[in-house]
């Protein structure tokens, strides 16, 4: 039982590049979400999904896209990376209780 | 929208001292959860409270949900160096709804 798996763990992008952060869970959780964590700002919700085929925006969705074609996977796409998107990104899933977080992706945009 | 505020932002204690972090919501919550994040790590779920006035304990940690379901606290008795990390509260407006996280309280423990 791997829980929530995020890849890659580290990434450096140039401004304007695009990329996809991968997130997969093997707990059959319906709810999945993406957060970004910046110093002094806690965890801010980017996008979330309550089940396959259903996604919605969180607090800071601009510059990011998501899709949920399966229960297991919830990738986050950066369309055109900007330095303001330098952050640590966490994926989380939930059944009926607490969230299980992945180990995070540390992204630097130069 | 719903806001969850957490104080203090930072707390430095000597090993053996007690520690408390407080969480306040702008709206009535359905449930509140607490997480711990070690330095360089990811948040780890500690507990969920759902009932008005609920108090739960996990060894040296005591969690409380206010009567009005708008505030909560986490109290650690006799801190240890293993308690170092950032503690987050997260409130849900309705059962199964998305959570709004507080900004966290960063705890350091001097041995």
């Amino acid at each position: 039982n791997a829980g929530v798996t995020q890849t890659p763990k580290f990434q450096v992008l140039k401004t304007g590049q695009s990329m996809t952060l991968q997130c997969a869970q093997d707990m059959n959780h319906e709810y999945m979400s993406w957060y970004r964590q910046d110093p002094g700002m806690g965890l801010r919700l980017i996008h979330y999904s309550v089940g396959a085929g259903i996604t919605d925006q969180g607090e800071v969705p601009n510059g990011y896209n998501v899709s949920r074609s399966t229960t297991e996977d919830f990738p986050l796409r950066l369309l055109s990376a900007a330095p303001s998107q330098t952050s640590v990104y966490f994926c989380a899933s939930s059944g009926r209780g607490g969230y299980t977080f992945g180990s995070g992706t540390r992204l630097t945009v130069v | 929208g719903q806001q969850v505020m957490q104080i203090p932002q930072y707390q430095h204690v000597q090993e053996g001292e007690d520690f408390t972090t407080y969480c306040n919501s702008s709206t009535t919550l359905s449930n509140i959860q607490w997480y711990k994040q070690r330095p360089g790590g990811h948040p780890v779920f500690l507990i969920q409270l759902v009932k008005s006035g609920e108090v739960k304990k996990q060894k040296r940690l005591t969690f409380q949900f206010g009567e009005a379901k708008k505030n909560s606290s986490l109290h650690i008795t006799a801190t240890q160096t293993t308690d170092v990390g950032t503690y987050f509260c997260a409130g849900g407006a309705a059962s199964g709804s998305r959570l709004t996280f507080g900004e966290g309280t960063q705890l350091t423990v001097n041995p």
Side-chain angles (χ1 to χ4, degrees), chain A residues 10-30:
Chain A
F10 300 93
Q11 183 72 49
V12 179
L13 288 179
K14 293 183 178 179
T15 298
Q17 286 185 317
S18 62
M19 79 160 294
T20 300
L21 279 63
Q22 302 292 344
C23 176
Q25 53 96 4
D26 60 0
M27 298 170 285
N28 203 33
H29 285 167
E30 291 294 329

Side-chain angles (χ1 to χ4, degrees), chain A residues 79-97:
Chain A
L79 308 173
S80 177
S84 60
Q85 293 179 304
T86 294
S87 187
V88 180
Y89 291 85
F90 289 104
C91 177
S93 74
S94 173
R96 300 168 77 179

